[in-house]
Amino acid sequence: MEPYDAVVVGAGFAGLYMLYRLRGAGFSVRVFEAGEGIGGTWYWNRYPGARCDVESMEYSYSFSPELEREWEWSERFPAQPEILRYLNHVADRFGLRPDIQLNTTVTAARYDDDAAQWDVTLDDGTMVRARYVVMAAGCLSTARIPPFPGLDSFRGRTYHTGHWPAGPVDFTGQRVGVVGTGSSGVQVIPLVAEQAAELYVFQRTANFTMPARNAPLNRQQIEYFRAHREELRQRERASRNGTLRKNYDESAVAASPEARRRRFEDGWRLGGSDIIGSFNDLTVDQRANDLLAGFLRGKVREIVRDPAVAAALTSQDYPVGAKRMCLGTGYYETFNRDNVQLVDLRKTPIKTFTTNGVGTTDQVYQLDAMIFATGYDAMTGSILRVDIRGWGGRSLRDDWAAGPHTYLGLTCHGYPNLFLITGPGSPSVLSNVVVSIEQHVEWIGDHLEYLRKKDLTTSEASYEAQEEWVAHVNQLASRTLMPKAASWYMGANVPGKPRVFMPYIGGVGTYRKLCDKIAAADYRGFEMS
Ligand code: N01
């Protein structure tokens, strides 16, 4: 079989646009997707309450004005089914399906030095060849259930939010547990509480949850976005986090208590996570951060009636924003329900699962079902799941044993013609990821066209450029409060994973300019032949 120009791994937001961009430039492309349908993260995260925490009109492609005109979002924060419908519409509208192979997992990719081609192995043993491999497998797609003792013996039903079954799941009249209170737990808990007879929430770390204040979009909002789309999209691209969030350039520490309170109240009323931009020192100065944390804890105490429960829900041990802020709808209110009990795992850790429940150090909870909202092997998991071998047979798993090393989060030294979309070392998860995906896809597309025009066959990051970039990414993070949290940004949620702050925190706009400058300088830092 003729080799493809490019193999793309994953058919979510990133893979679909990569296919469109490369095909449009005349490259032959094959996309492999493990799911039975397209959508990536949004295909698998079908749990009740799954909703994006970036606003719908911002969390959508901007590359096609026609697409933007045609598609109309119904809510401020889009729910999973609507996002999935959108992605399916995109696939149909641009005729992408013939080049996507579903139900197919890429298990290995090995670079053939002599032929300057990648041999890509699929889970049915088939091998395909391609000049380029683009990893579009998502930053949060390797779901993780911690190896709790006795879990195998549990006879109740088990679910992971990131791998939720397609059909309906009914918890009516059941005793249900949820482990994990990150973004997924916060969304699933209120809805399951409405169904279950008893709900036990097993919390290890209290999170900071803002009210989402989701609402239907009105005509005026939709028309405003349409009328100003060019300007708004431009602002997103030049912004710090890829959204239209207003970032105030004033210090919380220097502000008067009244002014500070007013600003925080505005943020609380607005909902969403924009409150983190309400002063310029919230993410860099612990004193400022403490002021916001104090405000948020006060709000929880106003909502939650039982002071002991409120205390457990406000026992956060990290700066606000150093773990991803959660957006909830009735989250704290759920703990006022008679059928909901918060189990503080800091006080009474899980000891073991049994056949019909879970035991902590002080009690056994009888359960019919357990929901794991326990997160992902984030950022590197979906890349390293594939056995990637570069020149001389070197292994990416080995090369990243002490943490991911990339140039710009886009390429790795030793792996010619391998590209990562929103890889570690790029703004990715700290941004509106659709904006970051578009930037990477366009950059990769331009780069491959450049190579073709110059009659070059290979491109990889130089070792020096890569190591300089890794040091830069770390240095930027160390100036903020982010490394203070044991977060998945740091790899801290996976025992044994190296603790390195993985995303680039310098901002989407700054990063984009840098990438453009590097491209304009004939891809400075790349070795091409
Ligand atoms: O996962 P998480 P997630 N014993 O890793 C707990 C995006 N997202 O799926 O903090 C007990 O954040 C863990 O406790 P701790 C978003 O970027 C977005 O919720 O490690 N508990 C934590 O409470 C988000 O950040 C949206 O102490 C254990 C939870 O499980 C990212 O995905 C919706 C445990 C995991 O939280 C991941 O979110 C959903 C153990 N052994 C997801 N291990 C929206 O757009 C883990 N936990 C709104």
Side-chain angles (χ1 to χ4, degrees), residues 41-42 45 47 49-54 59 77-78 83 140 144-148 160-162 179-187 202-207 317-318 323-328 345-346 350 372-376 378 429 486-489 492-495:
T41 300
W42 292 108
N45 276 262
Y47 61 88
R51 192 178 284 287
C52 185
D53 56 4
V54 177
Y59 193 83
F77 293 108
I83 301 176
L140 293 158
R144 214 190 137 257
I145 296 184
F148 291 108
H160 190 288
T161 46
V179 187
T181 52
S183 301
S184 305
V186 162
Q187 292 187 327
F202 296 91
Q203 170 191 281
R204 186 166 67 181
T205 306
N207 63 66
D317 56 3
Y318 62 92
K323 286 188 177 192
R324 177 99 164 192
M325 188 91 93
C326 302
L327 299 196
L345 297 181
R346 289 286 164 95
I350 290 176
F372 293 97
T374 43
Y376 299 87
V429 292
S487 65
W488 58 257
Y489 298 137
N493 64 325
V494 180

Side-chain angles (χ1 to χ4, degrees), residues 383-454:
I383 299 171
L384 296 183
R385 204 158 41 175
V386 180
D387 183 13
I388 298 177
R389 304 285 171 150
W391 42 253
R394 63 195 294 164
S395 141
L396 195 64
R397 287 177 189 157
D398 291 345
D399 281 347
W400 285 11
H405 282 227
T406 72
Y407 182 35
L408 303 169
L410 270 166
T411 63
C412 314
H413 176 70
Y415 301 84
N417 296 348
L418 173 74
F419 297 92
L420 315 174
I421 299 183
T422 62
S426 72
S428 62
V429 292
L430 296 180
S431 67
N432 170 358
V433 79
V434 181
V435 171
S436 290
I437 283 171
E438 285 195 325
Q439 187 247 336
H440 268 189
V441 164
E442 286 156 18
W443 194 96
I444 293 167
D446 291 349
H447 186 52
L448 300 198
E449 287 193 81
Y450 172 93
L451 295 173
R452 186 172 58 189
K453 199 167 113 208
K454 298 269 178 186

